[in-house]
Amino acid sequence: MSVVKRPNGKWRARYRDAAGKEHARHFDRKVDADRWHASMKTALARGEWVDPALSRVTVGDWAARWFANQVQLKPSTRQRYGSLLRRQVLPVWERVPLSAVTHADVGEWVRRMTQAGLAPSTVRQAHRVFSLLLALAVRDGRLTRNVAAGVRLPRVGRSEKVFLTHGQVAELAGAAEPHGLIIRVLAYTGLRWGELAALRVRRVDLVKRRLLVAESVTEVNGRAVFGTPKTHQRRSVPLPRFLVEPIAAQIAGRSGDELVFTSPGGEVLRNNNFRRRVFDRAAESVGLAGLTPHELRHTAASLAVAEGANVKAVQRMLGHASAAMTLDVYADLFEDDLDQVADRLDRAAGRTAADSVRTESVGPDLDAIGPGRRQHG
């Protein structure tokens, strides 16, 4: 490693990487050459050195490579990531070299998106996509760190959840006839729309009163795409007894591979079409304008908790990845459980206190103590 002055007055700083390859840069001032030279030396010593040639690739080129390799994504997620790249990430970063992206620049990008009126959830998702492709650049040895990490993001406000009563579910289902069974299944099983639309006859067990959720359908670019459920896990969902007979009638005469619920033309049941033709009108007619089919999933959780279901049971029914996620989403529903815990502790403490008082009133058993330990006045 060295810093020398060239005949043209420039200062050349050079060093060799771990493979013995020489790298050099020229500066107008010796102090700048010394600073760069020292930083390269430190990076090599710490194992943090990155080949400048690798980090000169543009964000646009790297994003294309990153996106092409995301084979694990569900079709709907892949479509969303692609849209975020095209609309939010690439218009700003496409021609910028990876090495030129700074933490401050990413923060400024987030601020501009927020000020432009993008929803907080959209801003956070765009940042996530950018952060993921930078993280891969770190793993690939093109960057020393992910400069998108730690950027302050807008908070997503939690909308107030709507929990229907049994009576409201009955009214909504009645207003949606002859499609009321769809409403009841959503409200009493907690299936996601895609899971309900993909439910096949062979996965309905009327004897055990179980629905096997093993598949989900998503609309991608106007096409129905079947895949695994959201958490990639199959689950068995309990079916209330009063739904057994109507579902038996619904699937009568159908083969095992046929769908339980279909459109009037026998095709895959699509959320937007169902809302436009049935659901929105029915909801408005019973005073529930603005309700969505997904909110019936919240209703299923609330009705189950009201009947004594614990966190783990609700987690399994809804297919959440963890009980912590269930608590995060439905913490308010379990407040009564906390009250019951407090009441039980009160009763237990009361019994303990009463036993203690009885013991003190009776006094010690002198015979049990023994004559050698009796105290004489």
Side-chain angles (χ1 to χ4, degrees):
M1 295 189 181
S2 63
V3 175
V4 297
K5 191 172 185 179
R6 304 293 292 164
N8 61 2
K10 297 278 189 178
W11 290 90
R12 184 178 70 177
R14 61 180 180 175
Y15 67 94
R16 292 186 182 276
D17 61 29
K21 181 181 178 182
E22 184 178 284
H23 302 268
R25 280 187 62 181
H26 292 79
F27 299 86
D28 292 330
R29 302 188 308 167
K30 184 176 185 298
V31 65
D32 295 329
D34 286 336
R35 185 181 297 115
W36 180 80
H37 184 262
S39 68
M40 293 299 102
K41 183 178 179 180
T42 301
L44 281 167
R46 292 179 176 176
E48 299 173 352
W49 179 82
V50 171
D51 187 341
L54 294 178
S55 61
R56 279 197 292 268
V57 65
T58 65
V59 170
D61 289 340
W62 185 248
R65 294 180 61 180
W66 169 80
F67 188 65
N69 292 328
Q70 301 307 298
V71 295
Q72 82 286 357
L73 297 178
K74 285 179 170 293
S76 58
T77 304
R78 185 176 179 82
Q79 181 190 38
R80 184 169 69 253
Y81 279 14
S83 176
L84 290 165
L85 279 173
R86 291 191 304 273
R87 297 181 180 183
Q88 274 76 47
V89 178
L90 295 182
V92 175
W93 301 104
E94 184 171 16
R95 299 181 184 277
V96 179
L98 288 173
S99 59
V101 180
T102 69
H103 181 81
D105 289 340
V106 177
E108 176 65 17
W109 171 59
V110 167
R111 184 187 66 79
R112 289 201 304 269
M113 286 192 292
T114 303
Q115 288 188 339
L118 288 181
S121 60
T122 301
V123 174
R124 294 177 73 95
Q125 289 171 14
H127 172 269
R128 171 172 170 75
V129 168
F130 193 33
S131 182
L132 286 172
L133 67 89
L134 291 180
L136 179 60
V138 174
R139 293 195 297 274
D140 200 52
R142 295 173 183 272
L143 294 174
T144 58
R145 65 188 183 93
N146 183 351
V147 296
V151 169
R152 292 186 178 274
L153 301 173
R155 293 184 177 181
V156 178
R158 293 196 176 188
S159 58
E160 187 174 347
K161 294 180 179 63
V162 177
F163 303 114
L164 304 188
T165 64
H166 292 285
Q168 288 175 311
V169 172
E171 288 182 0
L172 180 62
E177 293 298 356
H179 307 286
L181 182 58
I182 293 175
I183 305 297
R184 294 184 179 92
V185 170
L186 289 173
Y188 284 100
T189 66
L191 295 186
R192 300 178 178 91
W193 178 268
E195 296 168 347
L196 174 122
L199 183 64
R200 299 185 187 277
V201 172
R202 69 174 183 270
R203 294 181 178 132
V204 177
D205 189 334
L206 296 178
V207 176
K208 295 182 179 179
R209 293 188 293 114
R210 290 289 188 272
L211 303 179
L212 176 61
V213 177
E215 201 173 10
S216 183
V217 62
T218 307
E219 190 169 335
V220 180
N221 295 325
R223 183 169 58 93
V225 178
F226 286 82
T228 57
K230 188 171 183 178
T231 57
H232 300 282
Q233 296 293 325
R234 294 187 174 207
R235 72 182 189 278
S236 181
V237 178
L239 187 67
R241 198 178 301 276
F242 76 92
L243 289 178
V244 170
E245 186 174 334
I247 289 184
Q250 176 76 11
I251 64 178
R254 300 191 185 189
S255 67
D257 202 46
E258 288 189 72
L259 297 172
V260 175
F261 300 102
T262 63
S263 69
E267 303 296 327
V268 175
L269 194 61
R270 304 200 180 210
N271 190 300
N272 289 337
N273 290 343
F274 183 76
R275 288 194 62 178
R276 185 175 65 254
R277 297 170 181 169
V278 179
F279 191 88
D280 291 347
R281 171 187 53 78
E284 186 173 359
S285 71
V286 296
L288 295 171
L291 186 75
T292 67
H294 184 75
E295 287 177 298
L296 295 179
R297 183 168 159 84
H298 302 327
T299 290
S302 68
L303 295 178
V305 172
E307 296 304 319
N310 58 36
V311 175
K312 289 297 292 182
V314 175
Q315 175 207 344
R316 290 173 58 193
M317 181 178 79
L318 298 182
H320 284 164
S322 67
M325 179 180 177
T326 305
L327 274 176
D328 185 49
V329 177
Y330 297 114
D332 293 346
L333 295 179
F334 293 96
E335 287 186 351
D336 289 345
D337 282 359
L338 295 177
D339 291 338
Q340 292 173 16
V341 169
D343 291 341
R344 294 190 189 105
L345 290 173
D346 279 339
R347 290 194 293 271
R351 287 194 299 270
T352 302
D355 291 344
S356 177
V357 169
R358 285 196 296 272
T359 301
E360 291 176 0
S361 64
V362 171
D365 186 341
L366 297 182
D367 290 332
I369 293 175
R373 296 180 58 189
R374 295 180 185 176
Q375 296 182 356
H376 298 278

